[in-house]
Amino acid sequence: MSAEMLKALLAMDGYASEVAATAQATVAALKRGGHGAVLLDLTMPGMTKDELLDSVARLPHPPVIIHSALPAAELAEAAAKIGAIATLAKPSEMEDLLAAVARALAP
């Protein structure tokens, strides 16, 4: 599922979202702040997975859900590195993704 399709599906469930097409755009969005949660793909243009994780780890960030097509062991390692609250392997069920977003945004 493309990022734009995911954004549309999140909107249908009442969530406002922002799409970052590159790793640099993701880091810039985190620096701006104001996000309730982050749905993070680890295979984005512009940085390696490890560069992106290092950048995210250095910044204050809201709850992170890693949503990526990497093997489970890599997802778990990445989650530990940045303190992600959930990992979802692509492709994922929309219900699982929405449940993770709801958990991330819960008070």
Side-chain angles (χ1 to χ4, degrees), residues 42 49 53 66-81 84 86-91:
L42 298 177
K49 171 190 71 158
L53 289 169
I66 296 176
H67 187 232
S68 198
L70 297 172
E74 285 187 54
L75 293 178
E77 181 181 318
K81 188 169 191 172
T87 60
L88 295 169
K90 288 182 179 181

Side-chain angles (χ1 to χ4, degrees), residues 34-66:
H35 302 90
V38 174
L39 187 59
L40 182 66
D41 191 339
L42 298 177
T43 54
M44 300 179 72
M47 290 183 192
T48 66
K49 171 190 71 158
D50 290 328
E51 289 169 335
L52 179 56
L53 289 169
D54 288 343
S55 295
V56 171
R58 285 192 299 269
L59 294 170
H61 55 79
V64 175
I65 302 159
I66 296 176

Side-chain angles (χ1 to χ4, degrees), residues 3 6 9 19-20 24 27 38-39 42 45 62 65 69 80 85 89 95-96:
L6 184 56
L9 289 169
V19 173
Q24 291 91 338
V27 172
V38 174
L39 187 59
L42 298 177
I65 302 159
I85 65 159
E95 298 81 25
D96 295 336

Side-chain angles (χ1 to χ4, degrees), residues 82-105:
I82 61 171
I85 65 159
T87 60
L88 295 169
K90 288 182 179 181
S92 61
E93 296 295 325
M94 194 62 192
E95 298 81 25
D96 295 336
L97 191 136
L98 290 173
V101 169
R103 282 193 311 275
L105 295 173

Side-chain angles (χ1 to χ4, degrees), residues 1-13:
M1 172 180 322
S2 74
E4 290 301 327
M5 287 177 61
L6 184 56
K7 181 178 180 168
L9 289 169
L10 287 168
M12 288 175 27
D13 215 61

